[in-house]
Amino acid sequence: MSLPARLSLFLLLVATAFDPSRTAASAATAFADWPSFHRAVAEWPLDSTRVARVHSLMIERDAGVIVLEDGRIVRTKPLPGGAQALVFSGRGSFRFEPRSEIERQQLRRFYGATTLRRTFTSMAIVFTDSTEADLAGLVYEADTLGALHRAWNAAKPYLLVRRTQLVRPAALAQTLVDGDANGLFWSVLMDKLDHEPVFFEIDPFATERVLLGRRPEDDREGLIRHYNSEIVSQFF
């Protein structure tokens, strides 16, 4: 293997925090090197032949309940490895209610209430869990993308650090490279495309798998926005 190829593979392994038991060959199966992996995620296309209308569709994961009240979703084309994503545009609501009193007080610190209730107009989900079953009743057809395309473009900066060619968060990056159906659920929900986003995640690699996040208040330096997230609540 050439020096550039070895360096790319090394960066791939470090940046995604691989399980040491995985071999270099299996890690490099779907993508030749780190730049090709980053490019695939950066250019991850929507599939204009798989657009569906949604009404009162509920997606429930532990303490979080997402309701797509009215709008449209579009599926992405598959990445090598099999991870899937969907994008929603329309009217939706999100409720997050931890069972732990400690985590409910964490919510109070950030949001002033022990249960978070938010509305949103756009959402993106990357998943390898049972979300496909939640979508089983939808009827897909070809359609124009319009607001769905804008919603996807608004979500992508939270998946990518363009300057460093880093895909984040680490659980998402590892899942995309490994191609495992490991139960990952990562979502970003936004009102008016980029207003106070909420991140809701089931991280299969963490002990405390359920995570709620938000964009930090100090996420901007002058005209530069970093598109970071900070943890509000995380628990088993």
Side-chain angles (χ1 to χ4, degrees), residues 111 158 190 193-199 213-220 225-230 232:
Y111 294 111
Y158 295 104
M190 293 175 284
L193 290 186
D194 198 23
H195 177 63
E196 297 185 1
V198 171
F199 305 91
R214 70 170 191 170
R215 187 171 62 199
E217 293 180 355
D218 59 351
D219 196 46
R220 185 187 292 274
R225 177 172 290 167
H226 297 292
Y227 295 95
N228 292 320
S229 64
E230 66 178 357
V232 173

mmCIF file with all atom_site columns, all heavy atoms in Angstrom, residues 111 158 190 193-199 213-220 225-230 232:
data_model
loop_
_atom_site.group_PDB
_atom_site.id
_atom_site.type_symbol
_atom_site.label_atom_id
_atom_site.label_alt_id
_atom_site.label_comp_id
_atom_site.label_asym_id
_atom_site.label_entity_id
_atom_site.label_seq_id
_atom_site.pdbx_PDB_ins_code
_atom_site.Cartn_x
_atom_site.Cartn_y
_atom_site.Cartn_z
_atom_site.occupancy
_atom_site.B_iso_or_equiv
_atom_site.pdbx_formal_charge
_atom_site.auth_seq_id
_atom_site.auth_comp_id
_atom_site.auth_asym_id
_atom_site.auth_atom_id
_atom_site.pdbx_PDB_model_num
ATOM 1   N N   . TYR A 1 111 ? -33.707 24.686 29.115 1.00 0.00 ? 111 TYR A N   1
ATOM 2   C CA  . TYR A 1 111 ? -34.946 25.094 28.445 1.00 0.00 ? 111 TYR A CA  1
ATOM 3   C C   . TYR A 1 111 ? -36.023 25.619 29.389 1.00 0.00 ? 111 TYR A C   1
ATOM 4   O O   . TYR A 1 111 ? -37.089 26.030 28.928 1.00 0.00 ? 111 TYR A O   1
ATOM 5   C CB  . TYR A 1 111 ? -35.509 23.926 27.636 1.00 0.00 ? 111 TYR A CB  1
ATOM 6   C CG  . TYR A 1 111 ? -34.637 23.527 26.477 1.00 0.00 ? 111 TYR A CG  1
ATOM 7   C CD1 . TYR A 1 111 ? -33.954 22.311 26.482 1.00 0.00 ? 111 TYR A CD1 1
ATOM 8   C CD2 . TYR A 1 111 ? -34.485 24.359 25.369 1.00 0.00 ? 111 TYR A CD2 1
ATOM 9   C CE1 . TYR A 1 111 ? -33.152 21.941 25.415 1.00 0.00 ? 111 TYR A CE1 1
ATOM 10  C CE2 . TYR A 1 111 ? -33.682 23.992 24.300 1.00 0.00 ? 111 TYR A CE2 1
ATOM 11  C CZ  . TYR A 1 111 ? -33.016 22.782 24.332 1.00 0.00 ? 111 TYR A CZ  1
ATOM 12  O OH  . TYR A 1 111 ? -32.223 22.419 23.275 1.00 0.00 ? 111 TYR A OH  1
ATOM 13  N N   . TYR A 1 158 ? -24.163 19.892 9.740  1.00 0.00 ? 158 TYR A N   1
ATOM 14  C CA  . TYR A 1 158 ? -24.055 19.230 11.031 1.00 0.00 ? 158 TYR A CA  1
ATOM 15  C C   . TYR A 1 158 ? -23.509 17.807 10.889 1.00 0.00 ? 158 TYR A C   1
ATOM 16  O O   . TYR A 1 158 ? -23.210 17.148 11.889 1.00 0.00 ? 158 TYR A O   1
ATOM 17  C CB  . TYR A 1 158 ? -25.415 19.218 11.736 1.00 0.00 ? 158 TYR A CB  1
ATOM 18  C CG  . TYR A 1 158 ? -25.882 20.606 12.071 1.00 0.00 ? 158 TYR A CG  1
ATOM 19  C CD1 . TYR A 1 158 ? -26.877 21.228 11.317 1.00 0.00 ? 158 TYR A CD1 1
ATOM 20  C CD2 . TYR A 1 158 ? -25.303 21.330 13.108 1.00 0.00 ? 158 TYR A CD2 1
ATOM 21  C CE1 . TYR A 1 158 ? -27.301 22.514 11.605 1.00 0.00 ? 158 TYR A CE1 1
ATOM 22  C CE2 . TYR A 1 158 ? -25.713 22.624 13.395 1.00 0.00 ? 158 TYR A CE2 1
ATOM 23  C CZ  . TYR A 1 158 ? -26.707 23.207 12.647 1.00 0.00 ? 158 TYR A CZ  1
ATOM 24  O OH  . TYR A 1 158 ? -27.116 24.490 12.925 1.00 0.00 ? 158 TYR A OH  1
ATOM 25  N N   . MET A 1 190 ? -35.193 21.228 12.842 1.00 0.00 ? 190 MET A N   1
ATOM 26  C CA  . MET A 1 190 ? -34.989 22.666 12.746 1.00 0.00 ? 190 MET A CA  1
ATOM 27  C C   . MET A 1 190 ? -36.297 23.378 12.440 1.00 0.00 ? 190 MET A C   1
ATOM 28  O O   . MET A 1 190 ? -37.152 22.855 11.725 1.00 0.00 ? 190 MET A O   1
ATOM 29  C CB  . MET A 1 190 ? -33.963 22.987 11.657 1.00 0.00 ? 190 MET A CB  1
ATOM 30  C CG  . MET A 1 190 ? -32.556 22.507 11.971 1.00 0.00 ? 190 MET A CG  1
ATOM 31  S SD  . MET A 1 190 ? -31.403 22.761 10.601 1.00 0.00 ? 190 MET A SD  1
ATOM 32  C CE  . MET A 1 190 ? -31.906 21.423 9.520  1.00 0.00 ? 190 MET A CE  1
ATOM 33  N N   . LEU A 1 193 ? -35.432 26.225 8.959  1.00 0.00 ? 193 LEU A N   1
ATOM 34  C CA  . LEU A 1 193 ? -34.232 25.641 8.371  1.00 0.00 ? 193 LEU A CA  1
ATOM 35  C C   . LEU A 1 193 ? -33.011 25.662 9.280  1.00 0.00 ? 193 LEU A C   1
ATOM 36  O O   . LEU A 1 193 ? -32.248 24.726 9.306  1.00 0.00 ? 193 LEU A O   1
ATOM 37  C CB  . LEU A 1 193 ? -33.877 26.302 7.025  1.00 0.00 ? 193 LEU A CB  1
ATOM 38  C CG  . LEU A 1 193 ? -34.830 25.979 5.876  1.00 0.00 ? 193 LEU A CG  1
ATOM 39  C CD1 . LEU A 1 193 ? -34.311 26.554 4.571  1.00 0.00 ? 193 LEU A CD1 1
ATOM 40  C CD2 . LEU A 1 193 ? -35.013 24.478 5.712  1.00 0.00 ? 193 LEU A CD2 1
ATOM 41  N N   . ASP A 1 194 ? -32.764 26.731 10.040 1.00 0.00 ? 194 ASP A N   1
ATOM 42  C CA  . ASP A 1 194 ? -31.540 26.745 10.830 1.00 0.00 ? 194 ASP A CA  1
ATOM 43  C C   . ASP A 1 194 ? -31.719 27.495 12.145 1.00 0.00 ? 194 ASP A C   1
ATOM 44  O O   . ASP A 1 194 ? -30.791 28.077 12.679 1.00 0.00 ? 194 ASP A O   1
ATOM 45  C CB  . ASP A 1 194 ? -30.402 27.380 10.021 1.00 0.00 ? 194 ASP A CB  1
ATOM 46  C CG  . ASP A 1 194 ? -29.031 27.033 10.596 1.00 0.00 ? 194 ASP A CG  1
ATOM 47  O OD1 . ASP A 1 194 ? -28.935 26.005 11.285 1.00 0.00 ? 194 ASP A OD1 1
ATOM 48  O OD2 . ASP A 1 194 ? -28.080 27.797 10.379 1.00 0.00 ? 194 ASP A OD2 1
ATOM 49  N N   . HIS A 1 195 ? -32.935 27.514 12.679 1.00 0.00 ? 195 HIS A N   1
ATOM 50  C CA  . HIS A 1 195 ? -33.199 28.258 13.896 1.00 0.00 ? 195 HIS A CA  1
ATOM 51  C C   . HIS A 1 195 ? -33.225 27.315 15.091 1.00 0.00 ? 195 HIS A C   1
ATOM 52  O O   . HIS A 1 195 ? -34.083 26.440 15.180 1.00 0.00 ? 195 HIS A O   1
ATOM 53  C CB  . HIS A 1 195 ? -34.536 28.990 13.786 1.00 0.00 ? 195 HIS A CB  1
ATOM 54  C CG  . HIS A 1 195 ? -34.926 29.731 15.027 1.00 0.00 ? 195 HIS A CG  1
ATOM 55  N ND1 . HIS A 1 195 ? -34.200 30.777 15.534 1.00 0.00 ? 195 HIS A ND1 1
ATOM 56  C CD2 . HIS A 1 195 ? -35.962 29.559 15.885 1.00 0.00 ? 195 HIS A CD2 1
ATOM 57  C CE1 . HIS A 1 195 ? -34.773 31.230 16.627 1.00 0.00 ? 195 HIS A CE1 1
ATOM 58  N NE2 . HIS A 1 195 ? -35.842 30.502 16.872 1.00 0.00 ? 195 HIS A NE2 1
ATOM 59  N N   . GLU A 1 196 ? -32.262 27.459 15.993 1.00 0.00 ? 196 GLU A N   1
ATOM 60  C CA  . GLU A 1 196 ? -32.186 26.660 17.210 1.00 0.00 ? 196 GLU A CA  1
ATOM 61  C C   . GLU A 1 196 ? -32.402 25.169 16.947 1.00 0.00 ? 196 GLU A C   1
ATOM 62  O O   . GLU A 1 196 ? -33.382 24.570 17.414 1.00 0.00 ? 196 GLU A O   1
ATOM 63  C CB  . GLU A 1 196 ? -33.192 27.166 18.242 1.00 0.00 ? 196 GLU A CB  1
ATOM 64  C CG  . GLU A 1 196 ? -32.917 28.588 18.707 1.00 0.00 ? 196 GLU A CG  1
ATOM 65  C CD  . GLU A 1 196 ? -33.858 29.033 19.810 1.00 0.00 ? 196 GLU A CD  1
ATOM 66  O OE1 . GLU A 1 196 ? -34.713 28.216 20.219 1.00 0.00 ? 196 GLU A OE1 1
ATOM 67  O OE2 . GLU A 1 196 ? -33.739 30.181 20.259 1.00 0.00 ? 196 GLU A OE2 1
ATOM 68  N N   . PRO A 1 197 ? -31.512 24.514 16.224 1.00 0.00 ? 197 PRO A N   1
ATOM 69  C CA  . PRO A 1 197 ? -31.687 23.078 15.943 1.00 0.00 ? 197 PRO A CA  1
ATOM 70  C C   . PRO A 1 197 ? -31.612 22.238 17.211 1.00 0.00 ? 197 PRO A C   1
ATOM 71  O O   . PRO A 1 197 ? -30.918 22.567 18.174 1.00 0.00 ? 197 PRO A O   1
ATOM 72  C CB  . PRO A 1 197 ? -30.514 22.767 15.001 1.00 0.00 ? 197 PRO A CB  1
ATOM 73  C CG  . PRO A 1 197 ? -29.490 23.798 15.338 1.00 0.00 ? 197 PRO A CG  1
ATOM 74  C CD  . PRO A 1 197 ? -30.260 25.041 15.667 1.00 0.00 ? 197 PRO A CD  1
ATOM 75  N N   . VAL A 1 198 ? -32.344 21.132 17.187 1.00 0.00 ? 198 VAL A N   1
ATOM 76  C CA  . VAL A 1 198 ? -32.307 20.133 18.253 1.00 0.00 ? 198 VAL A CA  1
ATOM 77  C C   . VAL A 1 198 ? -31.779 18.841 17.647 1.00 0.00 ? 198 VAL A C   1
ATOM 78  O O   . VAL A 1 198 ? -32.184 18.446 16.544 1.00 0.00 ? 198 VAL A O   1
ATOM 79  C CB  . VAL A 1 198 ? -33.711 19.907 18.857 1.00 0.00 ? 198 VAL A CB  1
ATOM 80  C CG1 . VAL A 1 198 ? -33.704 18.710 19.804 1.00 0.00 ? 198 VAL A CG1 1
ATOM 81  C CG2 . VAL A 1 198 ? -34.170 21.153 19.604 1.00 0.00 ? 198 VAL A CG2 1
ATOM 82  N N   . PHE A 1 199 ? -30.888 18.177 18.360 1.00 0.00 ? 199 PHE A N   1
ATOM 83  C CA  . PHE A 1 199 ? -30.316 16.912 17.905 1.00 0.00 ? 199 PHE A CA  1
ATOM 84  C C   . PHE A 1 199 ? -30.801 15.803 18.839 1.00 0.00 ? 199 PHE A C   1
ATOM 85  O O   . PHE A 1 199 ? -30.669 15.911 20.062 1.00 0.00 ? 199 PHE A O   1
ATOM 86  C CB  . PHE A 1 199 ? -28.786 16.979 17.933 1.00 0.00 ? 199 PHE A CB  1
ATOM 87  C CG  . PHE A 1 199 ? -28.213 18.123 17.155 1.00 0.00 ? 199 PHE A CG  1
ATOM 88  C CD1 . PHE A 1 199 ? -27.981 19.346 17.766 1.00 0.00 ? 199 PHE A CD1 1
ATOM 89  C CD2 . PHE A 1 199 ? -27.934 17.999 15.802 1.00 0.00 ? 199 PHE A CD2 1
ATOM 90  C CE1 . PHE A 1 199 ? -27.466 20.417 17.060 1.00 0.00 ? 199 PHE A CE1 1
ATOM 91  C CE2 . PHE A 1 199 ? -27.422 19.065 15.084 1.00 0.00 ? 199 PHE A CE2 1
ATOM 92  C CZ  . PHE A 1 199 ? -27.192 20.279 15.711 1.00 0.00 ? 199 PHE A CZ  1
ATOM 93  N N   . GLY A 1 213 ? -29.227 17.015 22.111 1.00 0.00 ? 213 GLY A N   1
ATOM 94  C CA  . GLY A 1 213 ? -28.244 18.076 21.983 1.00 0.00 ? 213 GLY A CA  1
ATOM 95  C C   . GLY A 1 213 ? -28.837 19.332 21.381 1.00 0.00 ? 213 GLY A C   1
ATOM 96  O O   . GLY A 1 213 ? -29.963 19.343 20.881 1.00 0.00 ? 213 GLY A O   1
ATOM 97  N N   . ARG A 1 214 ? -28.054 20.398 21.447 1.00 0.00 ? 214 ARG A N   1
ATOM 98  C CA  . ARG A 1 214 ? -28.450 21.660 20.847 1.00 0.00 ? 214 ARG A CA  1
ATOM 99  C C   . ARG A 1 214 ? -27.207 22.339 20.288 1.00 0.00 ? 214 ARG A C   1
ATOM 100 O O   . ARG A 1 214 ? -26.070 21.932 20.583 1.00 0.00 ? 214 ARG A O   1
ATOM 101 C CB  . ARG A 1 214 ? -29.113 22.572 21.880 1.00 0.00 ? 214 ARG A CB  1
ATOM 102 C CG  . ARG A 1 214 ? -28.148 23.111 22.930 1.00 0.00 ? 214 ARG A CG  1
ATOM 103 C CD  . ARG A 1 214 ? -28.783 24.204 23.775 1.00 0.00 ? 214 ARG A CD  1
ATOM 104 N NE  . ARG A 1 214 ? -27.784 24.887 24.583 1.00 0.00 ? 214 ARG A NE  1
ATOM 105 C CZ  . ARG A 1 214 ? -28.010 25.997 25.280 1.00 0.00 ? 214 ARG A CZ  1
ATOM 106 N NH1 . ARG A 1 214 ? -29.219 26.544 25.249 1.00 0.00 ? 214 ARG A NH1 1
ATOM 107 N NH2 . ARG A 1 214 ? -27.053 26.555 25.984 1.00 0.00 ? 214 ARG A NH2 1
ATOM 108 N N   . ARG A 1 215 ? -27.397 23.375 19.502 1.00 0.00 ? 215 ARG A N   1
ATOM 109 C CA  . ARG A 1 215 ? -26.256 24.145 19.013 1.00 0.00 ? 215 ARG A CA  1
ATOM 110 C C   . ARG A 1 215 ? -25.776 25.075 20.118 1.00 0.00 ? 215 ARG A C   1
ATOM 111 O O   . ARG A 1 215 ? -26.588 25.771 20.736 1.00 0.00 ? 215 ARG A O   1
ATOM 112 C CB  . ARG A 1 215 ? -26.643 24.962 17.778 1.00 0.00 ? 215 ARG A CB  1
ATOM 113 C CG  . ARG A 1 215 ? -25.442 25.644 17.121 1.00 0.00 ? 215 ARG A CG  1
ATOM 114 C CD  . ARG A 1 215 ? -25.825 26.261 15.807 1.00 0.00 ? 215 ARG A CD  1
ATOM 115 N NE  . ARG A 1 215 ? -26.828 27.301 15.970 1.00 0.00 ? 215 ARG A NE  1
ATOM 116 C CZ  . ARG A 1 215 ? -27.590 27.747 14.975 1.00 0.00 ? 215 ARG A CZ  1
ATOM 117 N NH1 . ARG A 1 215 ? -27.504 27.222 13.780 1.00 0.00 ? 215 ARG A NH1 1
ATOM 118 N NH2 . ARG A 1 215 ? -28.473 28.709 15.205 1.00 0.00 ? 215 ARG A NH2 1
ATOM 119 N N   . PRO A 1 216 ? -24.464 25.126 20.402 1.00 0.00 ? 216 PRO A N   1
ATOM 120 C CA  . PRO A 1 216 ? -23.970 25.992 21.471 1.00 0.00 ? 216 PRO A CA  1
ATOM 121 C C   . PRO A 1 216 ? -24.219 27.466 21.161 1.00 0.00 ? 216 PRO A C   1
ATOM 122 O O   . PRO A 1 216 ? -24.263 27.883 20.001 1.00 0.00 ? 216 PRO A O   1
ATOM 123 C CB  . PRO A 1 216 ? -22.460 25.699 21.494 1.00 0.00 ? 216 PRO A CB  1
ATOM 124 C CG  . PRO A 1 216 ? -22.293 24.421 20.750 1.00 0.00 ? 216 PRO A CG  1
ATOM 125 C CD  . PRO A 1 216 ? -23.398 24.350 19.760 1.00 0.00 ? 216 PRO A CD  1
ATOM 126 N N   . GLU A 1 217 ? -24.348 28.241 22.223 1.00 0.00 ? 217 GLU A N   1
ATOM 127 C CA  . GLU A 1 217 ? -24.562 29.671 22.036 1.00 0.00 ? 217 GLU A CA  1
ATOM 128 C C   . GLU A 1 217 ? -23.336 30.358 21.443 1.00 0.00 ? 217 GLU A C   1
ATOM 129 O O   . GLU A 1 217 ? -23.455 31.378 20.774 1.00 0.00 ? 217 GLU A O   1
ATOM 130 C CB  . GLU A 1 217 ? -24.932 30.312 23.380 1.00 0.00 ? 217 GLU A CB  1
ATOM 131 C CG  . GLU A 1 217 ? -26.288 29.851 23.916 1.00 0.00 ? 217 GLU A CG  1
ATOM 132 C CD  . GLU A 1 217 ? -26.633 30.494 25.234 1.00 0.00 ? 217 GLU A CD  1
ATOM 133 O OE1 . GLU A 1 217 ? -25.760 31.232 25.773 1.00 0.00 ? 217 GLU A OE1 1
ATOM 134 O OE2 . GLU A 1 217 ? -27.760 30.284 25.729 1.00 0.00 ? 217 GLU A OE2 1
ATOM 135 N N   . ASP A 1 218 ? -22.138 29.806 21.686 1.00 0.00 ? 218 ASP A N   1
ATOM 136 C CA  . ASP A 1 218 ? -20.900 30.401 21.160 1.00 0.00 ? 218 ASP A CA  1
ATOM 137 C C   . ASP A 1 218 ? -20.431 29.708 19.882 1.00 0.00 ? 218 ASP A C   1
ATOM 138 O O   . ASP A 1 218 ? -19.230 29.550 19.647 1.00 0.00 ? 218 ASP A O   1
ATOM 139 C CB  . ASP A 1 218 ? -19.796 30.344 22.210 1.00 0.00 ? 218 ASP A CB  1
ATOM 140 C CG  . ASP A 1 218 ? -19.487 28.912 22.651 1.00 0.00 ? 218 ASP A CG  1
ATOM 141 O OD1 . ASP A 1 218 ? -20.246 27.994 22.264 1.00 0.00 ? 218 ASP A OD1 1
ATOM 142 O OD2 . ASP A 1 218 ? -18.498 28.714 23.374 1.00 0.00 ? 218 ASP A OD2 1
ATOM 143 N N   . ASP A 1 219 ? -21.367 29.304 19.046 1.00 0.00 ? 219 ASP A N   1
ATOM 144 C CA  . ASP A 1 219 ? -21.035 28.529 17.850 1.00 0.00 ? 219 ASP A CA  1
ATOM 145 C C   . ASP A 1 219 ? -20.554 29.398 16.684 1.00 0.00 ? 219 ASP A C   1
ATOM 146 O O   . ASP A 1 219 ? -20.208 28.887 15.639 1.00 0.00 ? 219 ASP A O   1
ATOM 147 C CB  . ASP A 1 219 ? -22.260 27.716 17.398 1.00 0.00 ? 219 ASP A CB  1
ATOM 148 C CG  . ASP A 1 219 ? -21.903 26.619 16.413 1.00 0.00 ? 219 ASP A CG  1
ATOM 149 O OD1 . ASP A 1 219 ? -20.915 25.899 16.668 1.00 0.00 ? 219 ASP A OD1 1
ATOM 150 O OD2 . ASP A 1 219 ? -22.599 26.490 15.397 1.00 0.00 ? 219 ASP A OD2 1
ATOM 151 N N   . ARG A 1 220 ? -20.535 30.686 16.849 1.00 0.00 ? 220 ARG A N   1
ATOM 152 C CA  . ARG A 1 220 ? -20.147 31.575 15.758 1.00 0.00 ? 220 ARG A CA  1
ATOM 153 C C   . ARG A 1 220 ? -18.944 32.429 16.169 1.00 0.00 ? 220 ARG A C   1
ATOM 154 O O   . ARG A 1 220 ? -18.856 32.919 17.288 1.00 0.00 ? 220 ARG A O   1
ATOM 155 C CB  . ARG A 1 220 ? -21.322 32.490 15.384 1.00 0.00 ? 220 ARG A CB  1
ATOM 156 C CG  . ARG A 1 220 ? -21.062 33.374 14.181 1.00 0.00 ? 220 ARG A CG  1
ATOM 157 C CD  . ARG A 1 220 ? -22.179 34.378 13.967 1.00 0.00 ? 220 ARG A CD  1
ATOM 158 N NE  . ARG A 1 220 ? -23.425 33.768 13.569 1.00 0.00 ? 220 ARG A NE  1
ATOM 159 C CZ  . ARG A 1 220 ? -23.746 33.478 12.308 1.00 0.00 ? 220 ARG A CZ  1
ATOM 160 N NH1 . ARG A 1 220 ? -22.887 33.744 11.339 1.00 0.00 ? 220 ARG A NH1 1
ATOM 161 N NH2 . ARG A 1 220 ? -24.913 32.934 12.028 1.00 0.00 ? 220 ARG A NH2 1
ATOM 162 N N   . ARG A 1 225 ? -19.615 30.237 11.190 1.00 0.00 ? 225 ARG A N   1
ATOM 163 C CA  . ARG A 1 225 ? -20.383 29.336 12.060 1.00 0.00 ? 225 ARG A CA  1
ATOM 164 C C   . ARG A 1 225 ? -19.779 27.948 11.984 1.00 0.00 ? 225 ARG A C   1
ATOM 165 O O   . ARG A 1 225 ? -19.437 27.460 10.907 1.00 0.00 ? 225 ARG A O   1
ATOM 166 C CB  . ARG A 1 225 ? -21.850 29.290 11.640 1.00 0.00 ? 225 ARG A CB  1
ATOM 167 C CG  . ARG A 1 225 ? -22.683 28.313 12.467 1.00 0.00 ? 225 ARG A CG  1
ATOM 168 C CD  . ARG A 1 225 ? -24.151 28.424 12.151 1.00 0.00 ? 225 ARG A CD  1
ATOM 169 N NE  . ARG A 1 225 ? -24.693 29.682 12.656 1.00 0.00 ? 225 ARG A NE  1
ATOM 170 C CZ  . ARG A 1 225 ? -25.880 30.154 12.314 1.00 0.00 ? 225 ARG A CZ  1
ATOM 171 N NH1 . ARG A 1 225 ? -26.629 29.508 11.454 1.00 0.00 ? 225 ARG A NH1 1
ATOM 172 N NH2 . ARG A 1 225 ? -26.303 31.289 12.821 1.00 0.00 ? 225 ARG A NH2 1
ATOM 173 N N   . HIS A 1 226 ? -19.646 27.307 13.121 1.00 0.00 ? 226 HIS A N   1
ATOM 174 C CA  . HIS A 1 226 ? -18.968 26.015 13.183 1.00 0.00 ? 226 HIS A CA  1
ATOM 175 C C   . HIS A 1 226 ? -19.930 24.832 13.088 1.00 0.00 ? 226 HIS A C   1
ATOM 176 O O   . HIS A 1 226 ? -19.489 23.707 12.892 1.00 0.00 ? 226 HIS A O   1
ATOM 177 C CB  . HIS A 1 226 ? -18.165 25.927 14.479 1.00 0.00 ? 226 HIS A CB  1
ATOM 178 C CG  . HIS A 1 226 ? -17.081 26.956 14.579 1.00 0.00 ? 226 HIS A CG  1
ATOM 179 N ND1 . HIS A 1 226 ? -15.969 26.947 13.773 1.00 0.00 ? 226 HIS A ND1 1
ATOM 180 C CD2 . HIS A 1 226 ? -16.977 28.053 15.372 1.00 0.00 ? 226 HIS A CD2 1
ATOM 181 C CE1 . HIS A 1 226 ? -15.200 27.972 14.071 1.00 0.00 ? 226 HIS A CE1 1
ATOM 182 N NE2 . HIS A 1 226 ? -15.786 28.667 15.036 1.00 0.00 ? 226 HIS A NE2 1
ATOM 183 N N   . TYR A 1 227 ? -21.213 25.037 13.294 1.00 0.00 ? 227 TYR A N   1
ATOM 184 C CA  . TYR A 1 227 ? -22.206 23.967 13.224 1.00 0.00 ? 227 TYR A CA  1
ATOM 185 C C   . TYR A 1 227 ? -21.888 22.841 14.204 1.00 0.00 ? 227 TYR A C   1
ATOM 186 O O   . TYR A 1 227 ? -21.966 21.668 13.887 1.00 0.00 ? 227 TYR A O   1
ATOM 187 C CB  . TYR A 1 227 ? -22.316 23.425 11.800 1.00 0.00 ? 227 TYR A CB  1
ATOM 188 C CG  . TYR A 1 227 ? -22.839 24.442 10.823 1.00 0.00 ? 227 TYR A CG  1
ATOM 189 C CD1 . TYR A 1 227 ? -21.968 25.206 10.055 1.00 0.00 ? 227 TYR A CD1 1
ATOM 190 C CD2 . TYR A 1 227 ? -24.207 24.677 10.684 1.00 0.00 ? 227 TYR A CD2 1
ATOM 191 C CE1 . TYR A 1 227 ? -22.449 26.165 9.169  1.00 0.00 ? 227 TYR A CE1 1
ATOM 192 C CE2 . TYR A 1 227 ? -24.690 25.639 9.809  1.00 0.00 ? 227 TYR A CE2 1
ATOM 193 C CZ  . TYR A 1 227 ? -23.807 26.371 9.054  1.00 0.00 ? 227 TYR A CZ  1
ATOM 194 O OH  . TYR A 1 227 ? -24.292 27.312 8.198  1.00 0.00 ? 227 TYR A OH  1
ATOM 195 N N   . ASN A 1 228 ? -21.528 23.227 15.412 1.00 0.00 ? 228 ASN A N   1
ATOM 196 C CA  . ASN A 1 228 ? -21.266 22.255 16.464 1.00 0.00 ? 228 ASN A CA  1
ATOM 197 C C   . ASN A 1 228 ? -22.554 21.925 17.217 1.00 0.00 ? 228 ASN A C   1
ATOM 198 O O   . ASN A 1 228 ? -23.599 22.551 16.999 1.00 0.00 ? 228 ASN A O   1
ATOM 199 C CB  . ASN A 1 228 ? -20.224 22.804 17.449 1.00 0.00 ? 228 ASN A CB  1
ATOM 200 C CG  . ASN A 1 228 ? -18.860 22.929 16.823 1.00 0.00 ? 228 ASN A CG  1
ATOM 201 O OD1 . ASN A 1 228 ? -18.438 22.061 16.060 1.00 0.00 ? 228 ASN A OD1 1
ATOM 202 N ND2 . ASN A 1 228 ? -18.145 24.000 17.148 1.00 0.00 ? 228 ASN A ND2 1
ATOM 203 N N   . SER A 1 229 ? -22.460 20.958 18.110 1.00 0.00 ? 229 SER A N   1
ATOM 204 C CA  . SER A 1 229 ? -23.568 20.641 19.004 1.00 0.00 ? 229 SER A CA  1
ATOM 205 C C   . SER A 1 229 ? -23.025 20.392 20.388 1.00 0.00 ? 229 SER A C   1
ATOM 206 O O   . SER A 1 229 ? -21.852 20.015 20.560 1.00 0.00 ? 229 SER A O   1
ATOM 207 C CB  . SER A 1 229 ? -24.345 19.420 18.506 1.00 0.00 ? 229 SER A CB  1
ATOM 208 O OG  . SER A 1 229 ? -23.523 18.269 18.533 1.00 0.00 ? 229 SER A OG  1
ATOM 209 N N   . GLU A 1 230 ? -23.844 20.625 21.400 1.00 0.00 ? 230 GLU A N   1
ATOM 210 C CA  . GLU A 1 230 ? -23.482 20.328 22.770 1.00 0.00 ? 230 GLU A CA  1
ATOM 211 C C   . GLU A 1 230 ? -24.562 19.470 23.394 1.00 0.00 ? 230 GLU A C   1
ATOM 212 O O   . GLU A 1 230 ? -25.737 19.560 23.040 1.00 0.00 ? 230 GLU A O   1
ATOM 213 C CB  . GLU A 1 230 ? -23.264 21.606 23.579 1.00 0.00 ? 230 GLU A CB  1
ATOM 214 C CG  . GLU A 1 230 ? -24.514 22.442 23.782 1.00 0.00 ? 230 GLU A CG  1
ATOM 215 C CD  . GLU A 1 230 ? -24.252 23.678 24.637 1.00 0.00 ? 230 GLU A CD  1
ATOM 216 O OE1 . GLU A 1 230 ? -23.121 23.836 25.107 1.00 0.00 ? 230 GLU A OE1 1
ATOM 217 O OE2 . GLU A 1 230 ? -25.193 24.473 24.829 1.00 0.00 ? 230 GLU A OE2 1
ATOM 218 N N   . VAL A 1 232 ? -27.213 18.261 25.948 1.00 0.00 ? 232 VAL A N   1
ATOM 219 C CA  . VAL A 1 232 ? -28.133 18.755 26.950 1.00 0.00 ? 232 VAL A CA  1
ATOM 220 C C   . VAL A 1 232 ? -28.483 17.640 27.931 1.00 0.00 ? 232 VAL A C   1
ATOM 221 O O   . VAL A 1 232 ? -28.500 17.830 29.149 1.00 0.00 ? 232 VAL A O   1
ATOM 222 C CB  . VAL A 1 232 ? -29.424 19.296 26.291 1.00 0.00 ? 232 VAL A CB  1
ATOM 223 C CG1 . VAL A 1 232 ? -30.470 19.651 27.348 1.00 0.00 ? 232 VAL A CG1 1
ATOM 224 C CG2 . VAL A 1 232 ? -29.106 20.510 25.429 1.00 0.00 ? 232 VAL A CG2 1
#
